[in-house]
Amino acid sequence: MRGRRTPPSPGPAPGTGYLADDATPPATLRLQLNALQSLSRQTFAVRLVTLAIGTPFAMANTTGGPQNHAVLLAAVLGITVSYAMLRDWDRFAPRLLAHPTLMALDLLLGAVLLLTASPASPLAYATVCTPLLSGLLYGWRGAGVLTGLQLAVLVTVHRTWEHHPGAGVSTLLIAGFCVAAGIIGVTLRNLMFRFGTATQALSEATSRLAVAEAVESERARLARELHDSVAKTLHGLALAADALATSADRPAPDPAHLRRQAGLVASAARRAAAESRDLLTDLRRHTDLTTTPPTDLRTELTTRTADFESRTSLFTHLTHAGGTPPPLPPETTHHLLAITSEALENIHRHATATVAEVSLRVTTDTLHLTVKDDGVGLPPALTLEEAQESGHFGLLGMAERADRAGAVLRLGSDGTGTTVTLTLPLPVPPDGEHSTPGPPRQEAAHA
């Protein structure tokens, strides 16, 4: 088939003409229509071959003159039509589908050839193609009408050749083939359409499921971002406001201390407003982290631990061992930093700790990020399901972020604090680009 054209309609509108009692073709079944086209074109190919082989048998039985010319004309027209349908199906098939009488005209050409040949000649097998094509193209009614006409032709041919040896058996055999071919054609046609309907329904259900999963994923993402940004900042704002109220209730409040407390409240409020605006912007126009320039993980960890210590007055230090962290995808870096920030905030809120440690260790194939404190530790046998039910959405968000980053998150508590360990496999660099790990380094962030 030449070019890229839209497959033709399988026939007249459902409920009219030859499709009145057939399966209704679904609207978008390109695969099924292509399969029907292929079957129809192959049937025309078989018909072309049988006509080419059987025409000499018909010519051998002519007496010359007008009869010879009629047989030759019928053979040329039949072969030409079959070749045209095989070569330019997209061009001629719509006309054949819209006008089933054209198939009856082609059947007449085959009848002329078969009358001059015999039911035992190869031309008889060309007649089987007509019921098969009518079943594929027109359904039950079309197959019934054209198969009936073909049987009438076979009866006429049989009466002409009834005294020829084997004519009766050959005619009966071909007639059975014609009936079977018509039934097979209609069955294949309707099975393809019904299979296409089921496939289309499955595709639509899969699409709806994919949309539901995407919505659920986006809800989980927004929940993580809200918890790790606005909710966290508002919690800090509430603590700063409580401290300001406590300082103001003292008999002789220190004005400088009050100004510092009020500054913390104002700073937290501005940060909450900025984070809310960032979330709204993200909802309006989702940020594609894949196009964001890579962030240096060690530099960002240094900045965040220093900011955490300045806000909370909790002694925090950062250690770095091994080589320089390789460039990571922006989304992965974003999740690692968010997990680190959440672990530090949990230390500040729940651990009653005096020291927080953040350590980054890089080997040739693994990145280890650890956040540790000397506080009261986690409740015994705490699971993620229990954390979600008890309102500890931070732990759930950390686990989800680790999973999206392709890392392994472990929580440990030995009675003297909590340890959050994140292990991220690193891609192995090409040969000759391995970096030699340097000596362990330590960096401290102080207020």
Side-chain angles (χ1 to χ4, degrees), residues 371-391:
V371 181
K372 185 178 180 181
D373 65 80
D374 61 348
V376 296
L378 291 172
L382 179 66
T383 63
L384 291 179
E385 291 77 10
E386 294 174 350
Q388 182 177 5
E389 293 174 357
S390 59

Side-chain angles (χ1 to χ4, degrees), residues 164-400:
H164 191 275
V169 175
S170 298
T171 302
L172 184 61
L173 182 63
I174 297 301
F177 283 163
C178 287
V179 173
I183 295 174
I184 291 172
V186 176
T187 303
L188 287 175
R189 179 179 186 274
N190 290 340
L191 280 177
M192 285 183 184
F193 284 144
R194 289 192 173 94
F195 175 75
T197 303
T199 302
Q200 186 176 14
L202 178 62
S203 177
E204 292 174 355
T206 303
S207 299
R208 288 193 295 269
L209 180 61
V211 170
E213 291 178 350
V215 171
E216 187 64 26
S217 176
E218 184 65 10
R219 289 179 60 185
R221 186 187 71 84
L222 289 175
R224 289 193 300 269
E225 298 297 336
L226 281 171
H227 179 275
D228 294 346
S229 58
V230 179
K232 185 191 308 179
T233 304
L234 290 177
H235 179 77
L237 175 62
L239 293 178
D242 289 341
L244 177 61
T246 301
S247 300
D249 288 340
R250 293 176 181 174
D254 182 6
H257 182 69
L258 291 178
R259 280 195 297 272
R260 286 195 300 272
Q261 294 292 336
L264 291 175
V265 172
S267 176
R270 285 192 294 270
R271 189 183 305 112
E275 291 170 347
S276 300
R277 183 175 182 81
D278 290 341
L279 281 175
L280 291 174
T281 302
D282 189 44
L283 286 174
R284 291 288 186 180
R285 184 185 66 256
H286 182 60
T287 303
D288 186 4
L289 290 176
T290 59
T291 61
T292 305
T295 302
D296 184 74
L297 179 62
R298 188 176 64 184
T299 302
E300 192 64 26
L301 284 174
T302 302
T303 302
R304 297 202 178 198
T305 52
D307 177 71
F308 175 77
E309 187 176 46
S310 65
R311 288 189 296 105
T312 63
S313 300
L314 181 66
F315 181 78
T316 308
H317 65 276
L318 169 68
T319 61
H320 171 222
T324 303
L328 299 174
E331 184 177 6
T332 301
T333 304
H334 172 74
H335 289 313
L336 296 181
L337 293 173
I339 292 172
T340 303
S341 297
E342 179 60 26
L344 289 174
E345 288 297 326
N346 286 339
I347 294 173
H348 174 55
R349 297 182 192 179
H350 311 296
T352 317
T354 59
V355 175
E357 300 179 4
V358 179
S359 63
L360 176 66
R361 183 167 62 87
V362 181
T363 63
T364 56
D365 59 355
T366 310
L367 183 147
H368 302 273
L369 182 60
T370 305
V371 181
K372 185 178 180 181
D373 65 80
D374 61 348
V376 296
L378 291 172
L382 179 66
T383 63
L384 291 179
E385 291 77 10
E386 294 174 350
Q388 182 177 5
E389 293 174 357
S390 59
H392 293 86
F393 296 108
L395 295 178
L396 179 63
M398 291 165 64
E400 291 176 347

Side-chain angles (χ1 to χ4, degrees), residues 393-429:
F393 296 108
L395 295 178
L396 179 63
M398 291 165 64
E400 291 176 347
R401 289 186 183 278
D403 183 67
R404 294 183 68 86
V408 177
L409 179 70
R410 293 185 178 87
L411 303 178
S413 181
D414 55 3
T416 60
T418 301
T419 302
V420 177
T421 304
L422 194 67
T423 304
L424 176 68
L426 297 177
V428 178

